[in-house]
Amino acid sequence: MKMGGPSYVARLLFLFAIYFTTARLGLSIDAVNGFAMLVWLPTGISLAALIIWGVNYWPAVFAGAFLVNFLLGVPLLAALGIAAGNTLEAIVGAFLLRNVFSLNNALERLRDVWSLILAGGLFATAISATIGVSSLYATGVLTSFDYIRTWLAWWVGDMISALVVTPLILAWSVPRSFKYTRLQIGEFLIASSFLIFMSSMFFTSLLGINTRGLPITYVFFPPLIWYAIRFGQREAVTAVFVLLVMAVVGTIGGFGPFVKGQLNENLLLLQGFMGVASVTVMILAALVIERREHERRKDDFIIIASHELKTPITSAKIFVQILKKHFKNTKDKKLVHYLTTIEDQIDKLTDLIGELLDVSKAHVGKIILNKERFVVDDLINQIVNEIQQHESGRKIVVSHDAKRKVLADRVRIGQVLVNFINNALKYSPEDRDVYVSSEVFNNKVVVYVKDAGIGIRREHQGKIFDRFYRVDDRDKKGGQGFGIGLYISAEIIRRHGGSIGVSSKKDQGSTFFFTLPIVGNGRRRKGQFPLRYLSGGRLVRF
Ligand code: ADP
């Protein structure tokens, strides 16, 4: 930041003016022993300004603090001492946060919130309180009797300002790239009405309810938590600030749960609450944002990694095919076997990578459907034939009765079917058949894949359609998968407006099913799916 330029001077004057005005406002409210202000916006404003613009803006703070106190009648030396304390508070706080903790002003990381609370809220403000109150004491304005009480009020007033006003300014100082959807705007309006309603109910007489002194401060947490969880840090800290303003105005007017005794005691209570509320809400918002960010990065990573993996695998496949052609007429059976095995493994790898890519796409709602009209039974025949070719030892028994057409993405529905059948083969003994059936039921085509395998315990049944969920069973045979096949299947079926589910009992096999809306009207039947298709247990349906 360059010093001495016109923008520097303009900003200095601006900061001085704001500091001076808000300080006068604070002074007009109420003070402990005439000096320690319980509503002290200047601390939060100066700390934020020095964090955003740089510590070299300190002269504005010094001048503002000095003038306010001097005009109040504080002796010259004490006023200088107080101004020095206030300035040092902003300088030390801003220096620690900018240079030592490398604060990111959006406050969207937990570490930023913690550093603001500790360095700005707790530590820097103690400097101002100590120097300020000591100056008053040294110049004989305060007695030793009043020292502790005044110090405490000074510290708390500054702290709340650093915890409520500083985050407000910091969060708004960072431009944001995303825009709200209409739905989010709607939700935001509802949350805001809720907050305004709550605070008007408790801090004004508008609704005719008298909440004077009632211990019901907890009612403010639901709206605040709503902001923290559903919106960003900016919205959360703004809500806290709005509540602070309403609470201060209400408490001064004699309304609300903080009205217990004298005004400065009431304000102290109020500040304590606001400090806790602000810290809680900021931490919560940061945690939620960080979690969202981690999820996004994980998806990005998987998408990039799968794309990168595709290239070498594609070329490996091409070279194996060249080799196979090259040794087309060889008598060496082992060589042919090795090459076929390599090719099979490459195909498996390609499928796995495809699944990984799909899971990320599904998570961000990017699975694209190419819908066409087709008869599901035809698709079942095709898929079962393909799988049966590789599974010569196992029988996949087909019995279908769904001749109606659906409008769906044939490849994606095939993928769901393949996943069901492969799971049925993977999680059931080698000597047991797998059954694939279909029927029309309540304007829908239902497809069932039934096995006589290990089954799924009830507590897992609802979760296996979640992302990356795998049942951790010791007796589970077959290779461990990624736990994403069913998640992708569920997403695909959901996007088609169908439902997906399972009926299963431990050790008694499972039936997985999905439904798809049919084109035109189908037969309507009452009741549940026919029992012959299911495997017992509760029917879990999504
Ligand atoms: P995975 O790649 O692990 O098979 P899925 O999403 O396809 O992933 O399945 C999730 C979990 O559901 C599996 O780990 C398995 O424990 C269980 N599961 C799926 N199908 C069956 C089945 N037919 N029988 C028993 N358990 C199954």
Side-chain angles (χ1 to χ4, degrees):
M1 181 68 50
K2 105 177 133 56
M3 244 181 168
S7 77
Y8 176 74
V9 175
R11 281 177 178 173
L12 265 190
L13 288 175
F14 178 69
L15 181 56
F16 168 78
I18 295 273
Y19 194 100
F20 187 81
T21 323
T22 49
R24 293 295 300 207
L25 183 80
L27 287 172
S28 67
I29 295 179
D30 196 19
V32 171
N33 299 321
F35 300 101
M37 307 311 145
L38 284 162
V39 183
W40 194 242
L41 299 177
T43 289
I45 294 170
S46 56
L47 182 60
L50 266 57
I51 290 173
I52 297 168
W53 290 339
V55 285
N56 53 352
Y57 283 86
W58 66 265
V61 180
F62 188 84
F66 172 75
L67 208 65
V68 163
N69 282 288
F70 191 64
L71 293 180
L72 188 73
V74 175
L76 181 71
L77 275 181
L80 282 173
I82 292 173
N86 287 8
T87 313
L88 216 57
E89 167 188 71
I91 292 178
V92 171
F95 177 80
L96 284 177
L97 288 166
R98 273 171 69 110
N99 302 28
V100 180
F101 296 110
S102 317
L103 189 83
N104 182 326
N105 294 353
L107 300 177
E108 290 181 339
R109 300 175 307 177
L110 195 56
R111 49 170 289 194
D112 294 325
V113 173
W114 275 121
S115 14
L116 181 69
I117 294 169
L118 297 176
L122 298 179
F123 179 68
T125 48
I127 300 176
S128 162
T130 309
I131 299 181
V133 178
S134 301
S135 308
L136 290 169
Y137 176 67
T139 48
V141 182
L142 267 189
T143 63
S144 57
F145 174 76
D146 290 326
Y147 190 96
I148 297 285
R149 217 168 85 89
T150 313
W151 186 91
L152 196 68
W154 193 305
W155 185 49
V156 172
D158 279 15
M159 188 196 308
I160 301 314
S161 189
L163 291 179
V164 178
V165 181
T166 308
L168 178 79
I169 301 173
L170 289 181
W172 280 94
S173 73
V174 182
R176 246 184 358 189
S177 53
F178 72 87
K179 283 213 167 73
Y180 276 167
T181 61
R182 264 198 216 152
L183 215 64
Q184 282 171 318
I185 295 177
E187 185 179 342
F188 182 77
L189 291 179
I190 297 174
S192 305
S193 318
F194 186 31
L195 179 73
I196 300 290
F197 173 77
M198 291 298 241
S199 35
S200 328
M201 182 154 95
F202 289 96
F203 294 120
T204 68
S205 57
L206 284 181
L207 298 172
I209 299 168
N210 190 352
T211 57
R212 218 181 143 97
L214 291 179
I216 42 170
T217 47
Y218 56 83
V219 295
F220 299 113
F221 277 104
L224 292 181
I225 288 172
W226 189 349
Y227 279 97
I229 290 179
R230 301 285 299 168
F231 309 104
Q233 189 66 282
R234 186 190 276 184
E235 289 76 1
V237 293
T238 309
V240 172
F241 182 73
V242 169
L243 185 62
L244 174 72
V245 173
M246 298 284 285
V248 169
V249 173
T251 306
I252 292 170
F255 296 107
F258 303 106
V259 180
K260 294 250 162 77
Q262 297 224 322
L263 180 56
N264 59 34
E265 286 165 2
N266 298 343
L267 287 177
L268 198 60
L269 273 179
L270 159 66
Q271 301 286 48
F273 170 77
M274 287 313 302
V276 174
S278 176
V279 165
T280 313
V281 166
M282 281 195 292
I283 289 177
L284 192 60
L287 280 174
V288 172
I289 296 165
E290 277 193 351
R291 209 184 73 161
R292 250 184 248 146
E293 181 65 9
H294 279 146
E295 287 280 309
R296 199 186 56 75
R297 281 198 205 153
K298 196 169 64 188
D299 284 334
D300 283 356
F301 171 78
I302 295 174
I303 289 178
I304 293 168
S306 347
H307 273 300
E308 291 298 313
L309 285 169
K310 260 187 174 172
T311 323
I313 283 170
T314 314
S315 72
K317 169 117 182 164
I318 292 170
F319 281 109
V320 171
Q321 283 171 342
I322 292 174
L323 277 178
K324 272 180 97 178
K325 254 196 196 147
H326 191 75
F327 292 111
K328 207 167 48 191
N329 301 321
T330 179
K331 299 258 152 25
D332 188 346
K333 283 212 170 113
K334 266 192 181 161
L335 181 68
V336 175
H337 171 68
Y338 292 153
L339 286 176
T340 313
T341 312
I342 294 176
E343 196 178 12
D344 284 352
Q345 295 301 322
I346 290 177
D347 286 345
K348 270 194 186 152
L349 210 52
T350 312
D351 285 351
L352 281 177
I353 292 168
E355 272 194 354
L356 270 181
L357 205 56
D358 275 353
V359 81
S360 311
K361 281 194 197 154
H363 193 226
V364 287
K366 275 196 195 144
I367 286 191
I368 296 164
L369 301 180
N370 295 314
K371 288 193 180 175
E372 58 183 299
R373 283 164 198 257
F374 65 93
V375 176
V376 176
D377 285 353
D378 297 344
L379 179 68
I380 295 178
N381 288 340
Q382 177 204 323
I383 300 274
V384 170
N385 281 340
E386 279 167 23
I387 298 180
Q388 193 73 77
Q389 278 173 16
H390 293 273
E391 284 286 335
S392 43
R394 309 279 295 273
K395 226 166 103 199
I396 305 170
V397 184
V398 178
S399 70
H400 42 47
D401 184 21
K403 303 277 175 294
R404 307 298 299 261
K405 278 193 174 162
V406 293
L407 179 63
D409 185 323
R410 196 183 162 111
V411 177
R412 289 291 185 188
I413 299 299
Q415 190 181 344
V416 177
L417 208 52
V418 169
N419 185 35
F420 277 10
I421 299 175
N422 280 342
N423 276 349
L425 293 167
K426 189 155 88 176
Y427 300 115
S428 66
E430 300 273 329
D431 56 346
R432 304 299 292 266
D433 296 340
V434 165
Y435 297 85
V436 182
S437 332
S438 69
E439 60 157 356
V440 174
F441 186 85
N442 282 354
N443 288 349
K444 296 205 159 103
V445 167
V446 193
V447 177
Y448 309 88
V449 176
K450 183 173 182 173
D451 66 62
I454 59 175
I456 302 161
R457 269 184 226 282
R458 199 178 158 148
E459 67 261 31
H460 297 300
Q461 287 173 9
K463 298 184 199 154
I464 50 176
F465 296 94
D466 291 350
R467 214 156 66 117
F468 304 132
Y469 191 84
R470 290 155 40 207
V471 179
D472 200 9
D473 255 353
R474 277 173 200 283
D475 51 347
K476 189 160 99 174
K477 73 173 202 78
Q480 287 272 356
F482 287 148
I484 53 183
L486 289 179
Y487 168 73
I488 297 169
S489 302
E491 278 303 307
I492 292 173
I493 296 300
R494 201 179 53 80
R495 291 280 311 275
H496 280 90
S499 62
I500 191 166
V502 64
S503 110
S504 179
K505 248 186 169 168
K506 180 81 192 135
D507 298 325
Q508 291 185 27
S510 318
T511 300
F512 280 85
F513 68 84
F514 66 83
T515 71
L516 285 176
I518 57 171
V519 182
N521 283 327
R523 268 184 280 159
R524 270 206 163 268
R525 269 199 262 146
K526 275 211 169 112
Q528 270 295 350
F529 296 146
L531 279 178
R532 67 177 185 281
Y533 293 127
L534 303 179
S535 297
R538 194 174 45 129
L539 196 78
V540 181
R541 191 178 177 147
F542 295 88

PDB file of all heavy atoms in Angstrom, residues 17 26 44 52 113 217 222 226 230 251 263 282 335 351 378-379 404 415 420 447 466 486 496 500 516-517:
ATOM      1  N   ALA A  17     -13.430   9.967   9.926  1.00  0.00           N
ATOM      2  CA  ALA A  17     -14.818  10.440  10.057  1.00  0.00           C
ATOM      3  C   ALA A  17     -15.711   9.338  10.624  1.00  0.00           C
ATOM      4  O   ALA A  17     -16.513   9.576  11.542  1.00  0.00           O
ATOM      5  CB  ALA A  17     -15.341  10.904   8.693  1.00  0.00           C
ATOM      6  N   GLY A  26     -21.555   5.736  20.219  1.00  0.00           N
ATOM      7  CA  GLY A  26     -21.348   4.819  21.336  1.00  0.00           C
ATOM      8  C   GLY A  26     -21.390   5.558  22.653  1.00  0.00           C
ATOM      9  O   GLY A  26     -21.991   5.093  23.626  1.00  0.00           O
ATOM     10  N   GLY A  44     -14.238  -2.419  15.969  1.00  0.00           N
ATOM     11  CA  GLY A  44     -14.457  -3.344  14.853  1.00  0.00           C
ATOM     12  C   GLY A  44     -14.143  -2.695  13.530  1.00  0.00           C
ATOM     13  O   GLY A  44     -13.549  -3.312  12.639  1.00  0.00           O
ATOM     14  N   ILE A  52      -7.872  -4.692   5.986  1.00  0.00           N
ATOM     15  CA  ILE A  52      -8.117  -4.626   4.533  1.00  0.00           C
ATOM     16  C   ILE A  52      -7.125  -3.688   3.854  1.00  0.00           C
ATOM     17  O   ILE A  52      -6.525  -4.022   2.837  1.00  0.00           O
ATOM     18  CB  ILE A  52      -9.569  -4.171   4.253  1.00  0.00           C
ATOM     19  CG1 ILE A  52     -10.560  -5.193   4.818  1.00  0.00           C
ATOM     20  CG2 ILE A  52      -9.806  -4.009   2.757  1.00  0.00           C
ATOM     21  CD1 ILE A  52     -12.001  -4.714   4.855  1.00  0.00           C
ATOM     22  N   VAL A 113     -11.458 -17.991  11.049  1.00  0.00           N
ATOM     23  CA  VAL A 113     -12.399 -17.626  12.114  1.00  0.00           C
ATOM     24  C   VAL A 113     -11.699 -17.702  13.467  1.00  0.00           C
ATOM     25  O   VAL A 113     -11.791 -16.780  14.286  1.00  0.00           O
ATOM     26  CB  VAL A 113     -13.643 -18.548  12.069  1.00  0.00           C
ATOM     27  CG1 VAL A 113     -14.536 -18.298  13.270  1.00  0.00           C
ATOM     28  CG2 VAL A 113     -14.417 -18.330  10.781  1.00  0.00           C
ATOM     29  N   THR A 217     -33.076 -16.275  25.568  1.00  0.00           N
ATOM     30  CA  THR A 217     -32.179 -15.817  24.496  1.00  0.00           C
ATOM     31  C   THR A 217     -31.928 -16.904  23.467  1.00  0.00           C
ATOM     32  O   THR A 217     -31.564 -16.620  22.327  1.00  0.00           O
ATOM     33  CB  THR A 217     -30.836 -15.387  25.084  1.00  0.00           C
ATOM     34  OG1 THR A 217     -30.439 -16.398  25.991  1.00  0.00           O
ATOM     35  CG2 THR A 217     -30.927 -14.069  25.776  1.00  0.00           C
ATOM     36  N   PRO A 222     -32.010 -20.566  16.357  1.00  0.00           N
ATOM     37  CA  PRO A 222     -32.496 -21.197  15.122  1.00  0.00           C
ATOM     38  C   PRO A 222     -32.325 -20.336  13.868  1.00  0.00           C
ATOM     39  O   PRO A 222     -31.747 -20.806  12.885  1.00  0.00           O
ATOM     40  CB  PRO A 222     -33.957 -21.511  15.425  1.00  0.00           C
ATOM     41  CG  PRO A 222     -33.994 -21.649  16.900  1.00  0.00           C
ATOM     42  CD  PRO A 222     -32.971 -20.700  17.446  1.00  0.00           C
ATOM     43  N   TRP A 226     -29.658 -21.223  10.844  1.00  0.00           N
ATOM     44  CA  TRP A 226     -30.197 -21.353   9.481  1.00  0.00           C
ATOM     45  C   TRP A 226     -29.281 -20.604   8.498  1.00  0.00           C
ATOM     46  O   TRP A 226     -28.867 -21.140   7.469  1.00  0.00           O
ATOM     47  CB  TRP A 226     -31.614 -20.791   9.463  1.00  0.00           C
ATOM     48  CG  TRP A 226     -32.383 -21.030   8.203  1.00  0.00           C
ATOM     49  CD1 TRP A 226     -31.896 -21.501   6.999  1.00  0.00           C
ATOM     50  CD2 TRP A 226     -33.786 -20.824   8.004  1.00  0.00           C
ATOM     51  NE1 TRP A 226     -32.900 -21.593   6.082  1.00  0.00           N
ATOM     52  CE2 TRP A 226     -34.079 -21.177   6.662  1.00  0.00           C
ATOM     53  CE3 TRP A 226     -34.814 -20.365   8.807  1.00  0.00           C
ATOM     54  CZ2 TRP A 226     -35.358 -21.092   6.125  1.00  0.00           C
ATOM     55  CZ3 TRP A 226     -36.081 -20.283   8.261  1.00  0.00           C
ATOM     56  CH2 TRP A 226     -36.355 -20.641   6.941  1.00  0.00           C
ATOM     57  N   ARG A 230     -27.168 -22.744   5.662  1.00  0.00           N
ATOM     58  CA  ARG A 230     -27.711 -22.718   4.303  1.00  0.00           C
ATOM     59  C   ARG A 230     -27.120 -21.637   3.409  1.00  0.00           C
ATOM     60  O   ARG A 230     -27.219 -21.721   2.198  1.00  0.00           O
ATOM     61  CB  ARG A 230     -29.230 -22.543   4.365  1.00  0.00           C
ATOM     62  CG  ARG A 230     -29.932 -23.637   5.118  1.00  0.00           C
ATOM     63  CD  ARG A 230     -29.984 -24.894   4.318  1.00  0.00           C
ATOM     64  NE  ARG A 230     -30.723 -24.678   3.089  1.00  0.00           N
ATOM     65  CZ  ARG A 230     -30.747 -25.525   2.086  1.00  0.00           C
ATOM     66  NH1 ARG A 230     -30.050 -26.637   2.155  1.00  0.00           N
ATOM     67  NH2 ARG A 230     -31.450 -25.277   0.997  1.00  0.00           N
ATOM     68  N   THR A 251     -32.947  -3.237  24.001  1.00  0.00           N
ATOM     69  CA  THR A 251     -32.532  -3.243  25.404  1.00  0.00           C
ATOM     70  C   THR A 251     -32.506  -1.814  25.963  1.00  0.00           C
ATOM     71  O   THR A 251     -32.933  -1.574  27.090  1.00  0.00           O
ATOM     72  CB  THR A 251     -31.146  -3.908  25.539  1.00  0.00           C
ATOM     73  OG1 THR A 251     -31.214  -5.182  24.923  1.00  0.00           O
ATOM     74  CG2 THR A 251     -30.740  -4.073  26.986  1.00  0.00           C
ATOM     75  N   LEU A 263     -28.947  -0.146  32.953  1.00  0.00           N
ATOM     76  CA  LEU A 263     -28.697  -0.272  31.518  1.00  0.00           C
ATOM     77  C   LEU A 263     -27.322  -0.864  31.207  1.00  0.00           C
ATOM     78  O   LEU A 263     -27.191  -1.750  30.371  1.00  0.00           O
ATOM     79  CB  LEU A 263     -28.857   1.088  30.834  1.00  0.00           C
ATOM     80  CG  LEU A 263     -28.618   1.057  29.331  1.00  0.00           C
ATOM     81  CD1 LEU A 263     -29.533   0.050  28.632  1.00  0.00           C
ATOM     82  CD2 LEU A 263     -28.807   2.441  28.712  1.00  0.00           C
ATOM     83  N   MET A 282     -20.144 -18.099  13.323  1.00  0.00           N
ATOM     84  CA  MET A 282     -19.008 -18.027  12.386  1.00  0.00           C
ATOM     85  C   MET A 282     -18.326 -19.379  12.231  1.00  0.00           C
ATOM     86  O   MET A 282     -17.972 -19.793  11.132  1.00  0.00           O
ATOM     87  CB  MET A 282     -17.983 -16.991  12.871  1.00  0.00           C
ATOM     88  CG  MET A 282     -18.377 -15.567  12.565  1.00  0.00           C
ATOM     89  SD  MET A 282     -16.981 -14.457  12.746  1.00  0.00           S
ATOM     90  CE  MET A 282     -16.690 -14.485  14.483  1.00  0.00           C
ATOM     91  N   LEU A 335       0.453 -67.657 -24.912  1.00  0.00           N
ATOM     92  CA  LEU A 335       0.558 -66.259 -25.344  1.00  0.00           C
ATOM     93  C   LEU A 335      -0.839 -65.682 -25.600  1.00  0.00           C
ATOM     94  O   LEU A 335      -1.174 -64.581 -25.135  1.00  0.00           O
ATOM     95  CB  LEU A 335       1.427 -66.171 -26.605  1.00  0.00           C
ATOM     96  CG  LEU A 335       1.627 -64.760 -27.137  1.00  0.00           C
ATOM     97  CD1 LEU A 335       2.481 -63.929 -26.193  1.00  0.00           C
ATOM     98  CD2 LEU A 335       2.268 -64.792 -28.519  1.00  0.00           C
ATOM     99  N   ASP A 351     -13.943 -49.856 -17.185  1.00  0.00           N
ATOM    100  CA  ASP A 351     -15.268 -49.765 -16.552  1.00  0.00           C
ATOM    101  C   ASP A 351     -15.188 -49.036 -15.221  1.00  0.00           C
ATOM    102  O   ASP A 351     -16.016 -48.177 -14.899  1.00  0.00           O
ATOM    103  CB  ASP A 351     -15.837 -51.169 -16.308  1.00  0.00           C
ATOM    104  CG  ASP A 351     -16.327 -51.788 -17.610  1.00  0.00           C
ATOM    105  OD1 ASP A 351     -16.379 -51.061 -18.616  1.00  0.00           O
ATOM    106  OD2 ASP A 351     -16.626 -53.003 -17.608  1.00  0.00           O
ATOM    107  N   ASP A 378     -36.608 -56.074 -24.168  1.00  0.00           N
ATOM    108  CA  ASP A 378     -35.559 -56.256 -25.191  1.00  0.00           C
ATOM    109  C   ASP A 378     -34.187 -55.939 -24.608  1.00  0.00           C
ATOM    110  O   ASP A 378     -33.199 -56.623 -24.869  1.00  0.00           O
ATOM    111  CB  ASP A 378     -35.811 -55.330 -26.394  1.00  0.00           C
ATOM    112  CG  ASP A 378     -37.117 -55.680 -27.089  1.00  0.00           C
ATOM    113  OD1 ASP A 378     -37.620 -56.796 -26.831  1.00  0.00           O
ATOM    114  OD2 ASP A 378     -37.620 -54.834 -27.853  1.00  0.00           O
ATOM    115  N   LEU A 379     -34.159 -54.876 -23.816  1.00  0.00           N
ATOM    116  CA  LEU A 379     -32.880 -54.487 -23.198  1.00  0.00           C
ATOM    117  C   LEU A 379     -32.412 -55.591 -22.238  1.00  0.00           C
ATOM    118  O   LEU A 379     -31.225 -55.948 -22.217  1.00  0.00           O
ATOM    119  CB  LEU A 379     -33.051 -53.166 -22.447  1.00  0.00           C
ATOM    120  CG  LEU A 379     -31.805 -52.650 -21.743  1.00  0.00           C
ATOM    121  CD1 LEU A 379     -30.744 -52.226 -22.755  1.00  0.00           C
ATOM    122  CD2 LEU A 379     -32.128 -51.454 -20.844  1.00  0.00           C
ATOM    123  N   ARG A 404     -44.304 -53.108 -22.580  1.00  0.00           N
ATOM    124  CA  ARG A 404     -44.602 -51.690 -22.837  1.00  0.00           C
ATOM    125  C   ARG A 404     -43.329 -50.889 -23.032  1.00  0.00           C
ATOM    126  O   ARG A 404     -42.271 -51.235 -22.530  1.00  0.00           O
ATOM    127  CB  ARG A 404     -45.369 -51.105 -21.652  1.00  0.00           C
ATOM    128  CG  ARG A 404     -46.593 -51.891 -21.260  1.00  0.00           C
ATOM    129  CD  ARG A 404     -47.590 -51.910 -22.388  1.00  0.00           C
ATOM    130  NE  ARG A 404     -48.026 -50.571 -22.712  1.00  0.00           N
ATOM    131  CZ  ARG A 404     -49.162 -50.053 -22.279  1.00  0.00           C
ATOM    132  NH1 ARG A 404     -49.983 -50.786 -21.560  1.00  0.00           N
ATOM    133  NH2 ARG A 404     -49.514 -48.825 -22.582  1.00  0.00           N
ATOM    134  N   GLN A 415     -26.865 -49.837 -17.906  1.00  0.00           N
ATOM    135  CA  GLN A 415     -25.812 -49.753 -16.872  1.00  0.00           C
ATOM    136  C   GLN A 415     -26.359 -50.168 -15.496  1.00  0.00           C
ATOM    137  O   GLN A 415     -25.709 -50.876 -14.742  1.00  0.00           O
ATOM    138  CB  GLN A 415     -25.338 -48.302 -16.847  1.00  0.00           C
ATOM    139  CG  GLN A 415     -24.112 -48.030 -16.033  1.00  0.00           C
ATOM    140  CD  GLN A 415     -23.767 -46.537 -16.064  1.00  0.00           C
ATOM    141  OE1 GLN A 415     -24.251 -45.785 -16.910  1.00  0.00           O
ATOM    142  NE2 GLN A 415     -22.916 -46.120 -15.148  1.00  0.00           N
ATOM    143  N   PHE A 420     -26.835 -54.303 -11.228  1.00  0.00           N
ATOM    144  CA  PHE A 420     -27.657 -55.214 -10.410  1.00  0.00           C
ATOM    145  C   PHE A 420     -27.201 -56.665 -10.621  1.00  0.00           C
ATOM    146  O   PHE A 420     -27.006 -57.420  -9.670  1.00  0.00           O
ATOM    147  CB  PHE A 420     -29.133 -55.102 -10.801  1.00  0.00           C
ATOM    148  CG  PHE A 420     -29.872 -53.958 -10.163  1.00  0.00           C
ATOM    149  CD1 PHE A 420     -29.208 -52.963  -9.462  1.00  0.00           C
ATOM    150  CD2 PHE A 420     -31.263 -53.873 -10.263  1.00  0.00           C
ATOM    151  CE1 PHE A 420     -29.905 -51.919  -8.876  1.00  0.00           C
ATOM    152  CE2 PHE A 420     -31.971 -52.833  -9.688  1.00  0.00           C
ATOM    153  CZ  PHE A 420     -31.290 -51.851  -9.000  1.00  0.00           C
ATOM    154  N   VAL A 447     -38.407 -53.741 -12.851  1.00  0.00           N
ATOM    155  CA  VAL A 447     -37.433 -54.772 -13.182  1.00  0.00           C
ATOM    156  C   VAL A 447     -36.820 -55.271 -11.879  1.00  0.00           C
ATOM    157  O   VAL A 447     -36.392 -54.464 -11.039  1.00  0.00           O
ATOM    158  CB  VAL A 447     -36.323 -54.211 -14.108  1.00  0.00           C
ATOM    159  CG1 VAL A 447     -35.280 -55.284 -14.388  1.00  0.00           C
ATOM    160  CG2 VAL A 447     -36.921 -53.704 -15.404  1.00  0.00           C
ATOM    161  N   ASP A 466     -26.071 -44.918  -0.994  1.00  0.00           N
ATOM    162  CA  ASP A 466     -25.303 -43.689  -0.755  1.00  0.00           C
ATOM    163  C   ASP A 466     -23.943 -43.778  -1.449  1.00  0.00           C
ATOM    164  O   ASP A 466     -23.440 -44.861  -1.697  1.00  0.00           O
ATOM    165  CB  ASP A 466     -25.048 -43.488   0.748  1.00  0.00           C
ATOM    166  CG  ASP A 466     -26.320 -43.158   1.492  1.00  0.00           C
ATOM    167  OD1 ASP A 466     -27.332 -42.900   0.808  1.00  0.00           O
ATOM    168  OD2 ASP A 466     -26.297 -43.185   2.730  1.00  0.00           O
ATOM    169  N   LEU A 486     -24.318 -48.694  -6.977  1.00  0.00           N
ATOM    170  CA  LEU A 486     -25.727 -48.482  -6.623  1.00  0.00           C
ATOM    171  C   LEU A 486     -26.056 -46.992  -6.518  1.00  0.00           C
ATOM    172  O   LEU A 486     -27.169 -46.576  -6.805  1.00  0.00           O
ATOM    173  CB  LEU A 486     -26.054 -49.190  -5.303  1.00  0.00           C
ATOM    174  CG  LEU A 486     -26.089 -50.723  -5.382  1.00  0.00           C
ATOM    175  CD1 LEU A 486     -26.389 -51.317  -4.014  1.00  0.00           C
ATOM    176  CD2 LEU A 486     -27.140 -51.178  -6.391  1.00  0.00           C
ATOM    177  N   HIS A 496     -34.831 -40.361 -14.088  1.00  0.00           N
ATOM    178  CA  HIS A 496     -35.883 -40.813 -14.998  1.00  0.00           C
ATOM    179  C   HIS A 496     -37.265 -40.733 -14.361  1.00  0.00           C
ATOM    180  O   HIS A 496     -38.251 -41.140 -14.969  1.00  0.00           O
ATOM    181  CB  HIS A 496     -35.626 -42.268 -15.417  1.00  0.00           C
ATOM    182  CG  HIS A 496     -34.605 -42.407 -16.505  1.00  0.00           C
ATOM    183  ND1 HIS A 496     -33.264 -42.557 -16.258  1.00  0.00           N
ATOM    184  CD2 HIS A 496     -34.716 -42.401 -17.859  1.00  0.00           C
ATOM    185  CE1 HIS A 496     -32.617 -42.666 -17.393  1.00  0.00           C
ATOM    186  NE2 HIS A 496     -33.461 -42.565 -18.379  1.00  0.00           N
ATOM    187  N   ILE A 500     -36.098 -46.852  -6.962  1.00  0.00           N
ATOM    188  CA  ILE A 500     -35.149 -47.950  -6.922  1.00  0.00           C
ATOM    189  C   ILE A 500     -35.175 -48.479  -5.491  1.00  0.00           C
ATOM    190  O   ILE A 500     -35.472 -47.724  -4.562  1.00  0.00           O
ATOM    191  CB  ILE A 500     -33.741 -47.451  -7.316  1.00  0.00           C
ATOM    192  CG1 ILE A 500     -32.779 -48.595  -7.551  1.00  0.00           C
ATOM    193  CG2 ILE A 500     -33.167 -46.498  -6.301  1.00  0.00           C
ATOM    194  CD1 ILE A 500     -31.499 -48.162  -8.269  1.00  0.00           C
ATOM    195  N   LEU A 516     -39.662 -47.673 -13.913  1.00  0.00           N
ATOM    196  CA  LEU A 516     -39.589 -46.589 -14.899  1.00  0.00           C
ATOM    197  C   LEU A 516     -41.006 -46.290 -15.366  1.00  0.00           C
ATOM    198  O   LEU A 516     -41.777 -47.229 -15.603  1.00  0.00           O
ATOM    199  CB  LEU A 516     -38.776 -47.036 -16.111  1.00  0.00           C
ATOM    200  CG  LEU A 516     -37.257 -47.120 -15.978  1.00  0.00           C
ATOM    201  CD1 LEU A 516     -36.678 -47.678 -17.258  1.00  0.00           C
ATOM    202  CD2 LEU A 516     -36.659 -45.749 -15.688  1.00  0.00           C
ATOM    203  N   PRO A 517     -41.364 -45.018 -15.501  1.00  0.00           N
ATOM    204  CA  PRO A 517     -42.708 -44.699 -15.989  1.00  0.00           C
ATOM    205  C   PRO A 517     -42.861 -45.180 -17.439  1.00  0.00           C
ATOM    206  O   PRO A 517     -41.920 -45.020 -18.220  1.00  0.00           O
ATOM    207  CB  PRO A 517     -42.755 -43.170 -15.951  1.00  0.00           C
ATOM    208  CG  PRO A 517     -41.508 -42.720 -15.282  1.00  0.00           C
ATOM    209  CD  PRO A 517     -40.549 -43.844 -15.246  1.00  0.00           C
TER     210      PRO A 517
END
